[in-house]
Amino acid sequence: MQHYWIGDFFIDLSRNQITHHNTSQTLAPKALAVLTYLAEQQGKVVSQDELLDNVWAGTVVSPNTLQRSIAQLRKALGDDGKTQVLIKTHAKKGYSLECEVCTEKVAEEPTTQVLPVDAASVDAAPVDAASVDAAPVDTAPVDTASMADGHEPVLKTAKVPVKLGAMIITLCAMFMAGFHYFSSSKPVHISVSEIRALTATDYKESGGIYSPDGQFIVFSRYSDALCINHIWAKNIETQEEFQLTKNLRVYGAHSFSSDGNKLTFITQDQCDKPITQKMCYQLVSLDFTQALSAPQSPTVLMECKNSEIRKPMWLNNNDIALLQKRSDAWKLIRYSVSQGESTPLYHLPDGSINDFDVSNDGKKIALTGFHSDGHYYIEMLTPKGEVLSSHRIEYPNSVAPHRLIYPNFSPMADQLIFSTGRRLFTVTQQGKVAEISLPLDQPIGVPVVHPQGQKMLAIKGHYDSDVVIGALDDVANMVTQTEQGAQADAYTVLHRSNVAEDSATFSPDSQLIAYISERSGDPQVWLTDGNKTRQLSSFAMDSEVFGLKWANHGGSLLVNVNRSLTRIRLDAQGDTYTFDYPIERLFQWDSVSNTALAQISINGIVKLALLNLDQLSVHVLLDSQVVWADRSADGQVVYMDKMHRFWRLASLEAQHLDALQAQGSRKRFVINNGALYGINEALQLWSYQLDTGEFTIIGAAPSNVDYLTDVNATHVLMDIKLSSKKEVVELILGG
């Protein structure tokens, strides 16, 4: 049967959709196949083996795959797994569908509002940093942990929810004071005469760009919890909206051809037969005019299964420039639409490109990246890749030395504009950086300037996450109870706030817990004893924190702030360790030997290394980027690669941990007291003894878990994601 009803839910297998009250959700075909098989056996208990044999016939999969499909179905049917009204779990027996199934109802195809597919059905992609936050680029100032973990990048903004009217009043007050674009000759005064919201919905919108004629904006729209989206257009004058893409996919940021007839962007999906990476990438194009009449399926121009591509931008000769990552270094390539082939455009020998932008007329390319001397440069190129100028970027004191810059062309010929979060800056083609605005109340993505220069688009929003703590005994007891039914009893929010709080870690010698919170406006280190909480650090505005670890016996913390390591004592005094390389991620710290396991960037290429903090020396352990890593007390280093496989470093070569096959996920892992703890794709918390190889499923993680951050002898700490909101706003310039 291709169509049937389960209660008030209309199941359309031809479209892979479940519709309820004129709202449709698209699910993975296998999940709907599970539902259909249960519907055919309505009221009967169907074993896991029977479901696996019939739905995945001829394919070897684990029970976790079935459990993931059941979780997707329950979410789509509003069945939370605790009450189990529709799909019931029978302990050690299987599942049953406890609802009337009807194939006789005649239902017209409903008018639907299509919602993104459940995130569990698609491995959240290594969408580049700014595919959601800054347009038209695929990279922007975001949480780079998201990049490393291979999932959707998130712009961690100051997340105090603000009514749109209050936000606009605040921004207007700040911008009406005016700000300056500093050119090489004299400053130019620009003020904002009006700020208006363009996409104020319950969905998350990002990646806004203007059409070349300035009539439309194009943006991505997806739900708070999912990474799968549609691309939409909006007529700025009439406010009419148009869904451009026909199918829900992982779509990256987009770029218009110079005539405004076509869009290009990157799509991502799980590889059918992954070899070096889980996600495969496609460069696609879409006929914009046709899509305004009816949603279209994009045309595939190029596919990459063993390399990453991001940020396509149309050039003035109808070629597309984009970044490709090979051997952990990013290079600029050019795809010829007419010839159907790609060729190298520009690369940095022994270095890596970070970001680029194309001028509105398509005649100039601005590029930032690391050279072989380890310094950060801005370069201007022709569309043929010829270098017009190359200058090292000179950071002012107000910008952290290792801050990555994602610039867009501005109305000033010699200027590019970029954001550090709550502040805006310009950088000249000669590498001079200057601040151009008063601090904002909330961070924004990189502003995108209107083709005529009198307007700018920006992305604003908030992100809300909390730290939860769970007793391991309580989590383990959930295994014998209804599936995930005891989650509320097993996990407790540490200190509820409406801002980003994460990365909690236990002190080894006291009841203190350290964590990162934005409740004071910027990411800071906070301490709690379970009752009271206090701010420990005082990092500068727009600081970025990429990990914190306790000393072996407590008393101080090592924090990776702005890609530099700082040791903070409990009296708030600190010392900074100045390495020659940016520290991308801090994984572990042994304060006795004063060594740290971290990812570092050498000429823009990320490597796993052991740092000696006393000698400020670096020992590279692995010449490639990892998703996550940790080191045991006896010095064993374990890491997870882009395929979410676990490896243990040895003197000759890394050893694959076969027992942990299919147990990895983007939710990270920790090592404590000789045991490795992780969360798999089925949201199960597990442990693995490094010495004996004993593997144990401990219990269920929260359904909205973001990361596993620490474990001690009795408790576990995790980050949970509560909400994320983004919208496109337009700044009307004057002055």
Side-chain angles (χ1 to χ4, degrees):
M1 51 184 177
Q2 287 296 304
H3 306 88
Y4 58 97
W5 291 80
I6 296 177
D8 293 328
F9 292 85
F10 176 68
I11 316 301
D12 185 351
L13 298 182
S14 66
R15 296 172 181 259
N16 295 324
Q17 288 183 348
I18 296 178
T19 301
H20 187 238
H21 293 163
N22 290 334
T23 297
S24 289
Q25 300 181 60
T26 301
L27 268 68
K30 290 297 185 185
L32 287 175
V34 170
L35 181 62
T36 302
Y37 194 86
L38 290 174
E40 292 170 348
Q41 310 293 324
Q42 190 269 332
K44 298 180 181 179
V45 178
V46 182
S47 69
Q48 290 192 15
D49 290 341
E50 184 177 351
L51 283 167
L52 291 170
D53 290 341
N54 283 275
V55 176
W56 286 273
T59 304
V60 178
V61 296
S62 70
N64 293 342
T65 304
L66 173 59
Q67 294 167 9
R68 189 161 58 247
S69 293
I70 293 292
Q72 294 172 29
L73 291 170
R74 282 181 169 150
K75 183 173 182 179
L77 297 171
D79 199 353
D80 62 4
K82 184 175 182 180
T83 55
Q84 297 193 359
V85 175
L86 300 180
I87 300 177
K88 185 176 181 179
T89 300
H90 302 266
K92 299 182 180 179
K93 293 183 179 180
Y95 302 91
S96 65
L97 183 64
E98 303 292 329
C99 187
E100 179 184 3
V101 177
C102 181
T103 59
E104 298 177 356
K105 291 183 180 180
V106 179
E108 295 181 0
E109 183 180 44
T111 301
T112 63
Q113 178 184 18
V114 181
L115 297 178
V117 64
D118 184 21
S121 67
V122 178
D123 190 331
V127 195
D128 273 310
S131 64
V132 293
D133 300 315
V137 301
D138 272 339
T139 50
V142 297
D143 180 2
T144 56
S146 300
M147 298 167 60
D149 292 335
H151 84 286
E152 181 205 12
V154 174
L155 174 62
K156 288 201 170 181
T157 67
K159 304 171 297 179
V160 180
V162 180
K163 291 184 181 298
L164 181 60
M167 178 191 76
I168 293 177
I169 292 173
T170 302
L171 280 175
C172 284
M174 291 177 175
F175 278 99
M176 286 297 288
F179 59 84
H180 294 79
Y181 285 95
F182 293 95
S183 68
S184 55
S185 56
K186 62 180 181 178
V188 177
H189 180 77
I190 299 179
S191 65
V192 176
S193 60
E194 181 185 354
I195 301 176
R196 58 180 177 178
L198 296 181
T199 59
T201 70
D202 289 332
Y203 293 93
K204 187 164 60 175
E205 288 100 3
S206 62
I209 62 171
Y210 289 104
S211 60
D213 60 7
Q215 182 180 357
F216 292 90
I217 63 166
V218 173
F219 57 93
S220 292
R221 172 175 285 165
Y222 48 96
S223 72
D224 177 41
L226 307 177
C227 302
I228 299 180
N229 59 295
H230 275 302
I231 296 178
W232 288 71
K234 185 168 189 171
N235 187 304
I236 299 176
E237 295 301 323
T238 67
Q239 299 296 299
E240 185 178 4
E241 292 188 346
F242 307 85
Q243 181 183 312
L244 302 181
T245 49
K246 187 175 183 179
N247 301 309
L248 285 163
R249 295 285 300 277
V250 180
Y251 298 116
H254 22 269
S255 171
F256 269 102
S257 58
S258 57
D259 58 11
N261 291 333
K262 292 184 178 181
L263 284 166
T264 183
F265 43 92
I266 303 293
T267 69
Q268 303 175 54
D269 206 347
Q270 289 182 323
C271 297
D272 293 334
K273 296 180 179 180
I275 300 175
T276 61
Q277 57 194 34
K278 281 192 171 184
M279 302 303 295
C280 288
Y281 301 80
Q282 293 179 334
L283 173 67
V284 302
S285 67
L286 189 73
D287 189 296
F288 181 65
T289 303
Q290 291 183 10
L292 288 176
S293 300
Q296 302 290 309
S297 297
T299 300
V300 177
L301 302 177
M302 178 179 70
E303 185 171 18
C304 295
K305 297 183 178 181
N306 295 299
S307 65
E308 298 178 41
I309 53 175
R310 63 179 172 94
K311 196 181 180 183
M313 299 197 74
W314 237 295
L315 301 173
N316 64 344
N317 56 2
N318 207 32
D319 289 349
I320 299 171
L322 68 158
L323 292 172
Q324 182 177 37
K325 188 178 184 181
R326 288 187 177 276
S327 302
D328 292 310
W330 289 98
K331 302 178 181 180
L332 191 63
I333 66 172
R334 174 174 46 211
Y335 178 82
S336 171
V337 178
S338 59
Q339 298 180 9
E341 62 181 17
S342 62
T343 55
L345 184 60
Y346 186 70
H347 77 283
L348 295 172
D350 298 320
S352 182
I353 296 172
N354 175 57
D355 188 41
F356 80 103
D357 190 33
V358 177
S359 59
N360 285 335
D361 59 9
K363 297 180 179 180
K364 190 178 289 188
I365 298 173
L367 178 148
T368 57
F370 291 91
H371 283 213
S372 58
D373 61 4
H375 295 299
Y376 200 41
Y377 284 74
I378 183 168
E379 293 172 289
M380 305 304 296
L381 311 176
T382 69
K384 295 182 178 180
E386 301 165 340
V387 179
L388 300 174
S389 63
S390 177
H391 296 276
R392 179 178 168 183
I393 295 177
E394 301 177 20
Y395 289 89
N397 293 333
S398 55
V399 179
H402 295 306
R403 186 83 191 206
L404 298 178
I405 292 177
Y406 302 88
N408 276 356
F409 280 95
S410 80
M412 300 301 301
D414 188 48
Q415 305 288 328
L416 292 97
I417 187 172
F418 68 94
S419 168
T420 60
R422 289 194 288 160
R423 292 176 298 170
L424 298 176
F425 292 83
T426 58
V427 56
T428 69
Q429 297 177 19
Q430 292 74 39
K432 307 288 186 181
V433 175
E435 190 168 354
I436 61 173
S437 80
L438 296 173
L440 304 176
D441 65 327
Q442 292 182 342
I444 66 170
V446 178
V448 177
V449 180
H450 189 274
Q452 280 73 52
Q454 78 275 20
K455 306 176 184 178
M456 291 196 302
L457 291 181
I459 306 298
K460 284 182 59 67
H462 72 273
Y463 185 88
D464 187 358
S465 62
D466 279 337
V467 172
V468 295
I469 184 170
L472 291 174
D473 288 343
D474 292 341
V475 176
N477 288 337
M478 293 196 306
V479 175
T480 60
Q481 299 186 35
T482 300
E483 182 180 341
Q484 295 192 12
Q487 280 190 12
D489 297 328
Y491 298 98
T492 304
V493 174
L494 196 61
H495 289 288
R496 173 68 186 128
S497 75
N498 54 12
V499 296
E501 298 191 324
D502 51 54
S503 306
T505 178
F506 294 108
S507 170
D509 68 341
S510 70
Q511 298 300 313
L512 289 178
I513 295 174
Y515 62 102
I516 303 300
S517 174
E518 294 184 6
R519 60 179 63 195
S520 61
D522 286 287
Q524 303 290 349
V525 178
W526 287 67
L527 297 177
T528 180
D529 59 3
N531 296 312
K532 296 181 179 180
T533 185
R534 67 182 178 93
Q535 182 176 329
L536 180 64
S537 67
S538 298
F539 302 136
M541 180 185 295
D542 290 341
S543 289
E544 301 171 302
V545 179
F546 304 109
L548 74 161
K549 297 296 175 183
W550 282 98
N552 293 40
H553 303 291
S556 64
L557 288 143
L558 187 66
V559 187
N560 179 17
V561 56
N562 296 324
R563 296 180 174 82
S564 296
L565 296 181
T566 297
R567 184 172 186 169
I568 304 177
R569 296 184 293 274
L570 298 189
D571 61 2
Q573 300 300 310
D575 303 294
T576 298
Y577 300 93
T578 305
F579 284 86
D580 293 333
Y581 309 111
I583 313 300
E584 296 297 326
R585 175 63 61 180
L586 173 63
F587 295 124
Q588 181 267 350
W589 177 37
D590 180 358
S591 62
V592 175
S593 63
N594 211 15
T595 56
L597 182 68
Q599 280 195 144
I600 64 172
S601 175
I602 300 179
N603 303 340
I605 301 174
V606 178
K607 304 174 184 289
L608 182 65
L610 190 64
L611 311 180
N612 187 308
L613 276 63
D614 292 329
Q615 301 177 4
L616 297 180
S617 60
V618 173
H619 174 56
V620 174
L621 301 176
L622 195 67
D623 280 321
S624 61
Q625 185 174 345
V626 302
V627 171
W628 199 253
D630 204 351
R631 182 172 58 151
S632 64
D634 60 0
Q636 298 185 69
V637 175
V638 177
Y639 69 90
M640 185 166 55
D641 64 15
K642 291 187 294 185
M643 297 284 289
H644 294 161
R645 298 173 298 193
F646 289 89
W647 301 82
R648 176 163 34 195
L649 284 180
S651 56
L652 295 179
E653 61 180 12
Q655 301 172 348
H656 181 241
L657 299 180
D658 296 334
L660 298 181
Q661 184 70 28
Q663 296 300 325
S665 74
R666 55 165 289 276
K667 301 186 186 303
R668 305 176 181 172
F669 66 91
V670 298
I671 297 177
N672 179 66
N673 198 25
L676 191 153
Y677 296 84
I679 297 175
N680 58 28
E681 296 289 359
L683 300 183
Q684 295 172 316
L685 175 67
W686 52 262
S687 67
Y688 173 79
Q689 299 295 326
L690 289 173
D691 292 340
T692 65
E694 180 183 357
F695 176 81
T696 305
I697 297 291
I698 298 174
S703 58
N704 58 343
V705 62
D706 211 351
Y707 299 116
L708 171 66
T709 62
D710 204 4
V711 178
N712 64 13
T714 59
H715 287 78
V716 58
L717 291 169
M718 300 180 188
D719 300 338
I720 60 170
K721 178 181 176 181
L722 297 177
S723 67
S724 178
K725 182 71 172 67
K726 293 188 181 72
E727 59 187 325
V728 183
V729 296
E730 186 175 50
L731 286 63
I732 310 301
L733 305 179

